[in-house]
Amino acid sequence: MREDFWKELNEARATNEHRYWQNIFPEAANLDMNCLSENNQYLSITGSENSFLNQKSMLGPVQSDTRVKPIYTEWITNFDRHGTETNWNALFFYSMSDRDQAFNMHSDTETVCLIQGYGDVGMVVGNAETLEKTIYHMKTGDVILIPPLTIHKPVPIGPRVTLSIGSMPNKYSQQNSR
């Protein structure tokens, strides 16, 4: 069903470029505020961490949720691994309003795929060398691939839930766990 998407995504990975696709995962409409709240409740019961009280803007791991698991499994099955990428994560990034500031411009050592669930978010993706920036208006089902060390920043347009699936090389996860 999404064969062309996976081919394009893996081609973008091979050239280390960010790429944006519209409405690839329409089932991401299930990743809404109820899903966010239910996952927070589960994590606070099992791990004593309530992300809403701690005023964090991310919640995870969420890959075992029945609404996330099919997307996560499809990702792992179709994503071409590079080097030592064997560590995976699935998180929800969220904002309760357009006043919530998520993150400043930053880069990650992992490959990140963002799938928009509930609400809209502006995603600023930049080139650290040229200082050029592109802004994408992500709506439910949209996907953006952000390669390692690519600068980016979410700009909440209102309440939102975004699924982030990341693939981290072993060398980074081992260094960060010490």
Side-chain angles (χ1 to χ4, degrees):
M1 179 170 122
R2 290 188 260 260
E3 293 85 10
D4 290 341
F5 162 71
W6 289 112
K7 181 180 177 195
E8 290 175 19
L9 183 136
N10 286 313
E11 287 171 354
R13 289 228 338 119
T15 57
N16 204 40
E17 64 182 282
H18 74 274
R19 193 152 320 158
Y20 174 71
W21 296 267
Q22 292 180 320
N23 202 29
I24 295 297
F25 286 93
E27 66 271 31
N30 293 325
L31 309 178
D32 57 13
M33 288 297 178
N34 288 329
C35 183
L36 178 69
S37 179
E38 290 165 11
N39 273 278
N40 181 59
Q41 182 178 10
Y42 171 78
L43 292 172
S44 65
I45 290 170
T46 60
S48 300
E49 184 167 344
N50 184 328
S51 290
F52 299 151
L53 292 178
N54 295 333
Q55 297 183 342
K56 292 182 179 180
S57 60
M58 70 179 191
L59 179 107
V62 296
Q63 59 263 25
S64 62
D65 181 271
T66 57
R67 294 154 288 199
V68 174
K69 192 171 187 171
I71 297 170
Y72 182 77
T73 302
E74 184 176 341
W75 168 267
I76 291 173
T77 302
N78 292 286
F79 184 79
D80 288 345
R81 292 179 177 105
H82 289 187
T84 62
E85 291 176 329
T86 57
N87 296 304
W88 308 90
N89 63 52
L91 307 167
F92 283 142
F93 288 97
Y94 65 89
S95 303
M96 296 300 183
S97 75
D98 61 354
R99 294 183 199 177
D100 291 345
Q101 287 299 316
F103 296 91
N104 292 324
M105 286 294 274
H106 68 283
S107 64
D108 299 307
T109 56
E110 63 188 319
T111 297
V112 177
C113 181
L114 300 174
I115 302 170
Q116 189 59 30
Y118 178 80
D120 294 3
V121 66
M123 184 57 64
V124 180
V125 181
N127 181 315
E129 294 175 14
T130 65
L131 302 179
E132 293 178 24
K133 295 181 181 104
T134 304
I135 301 173
Y136 299 98
H137 182 167
M138 294 185 69
K139 298 180 180 185
T140 300
D142 292 355
V143 177
I144 190 163
L145 173 72
I146 302 175
L149 306 178
T150 299
I151 58 172
H152 58 284
K153 171 188 177 170
V155 179
I157 297 172
R160 61 105 177 198
V161 178
T162 305
L163 174 62
S164 171
I165 302 177
S167 173
M168 184 177 291
N170 270 335
K171 64 181 179 181
Y172 289 112
S173 62
Q174 289 171 358
Q175 289 172 353
N176 291 334
S177 66
R178 293 180 187 161

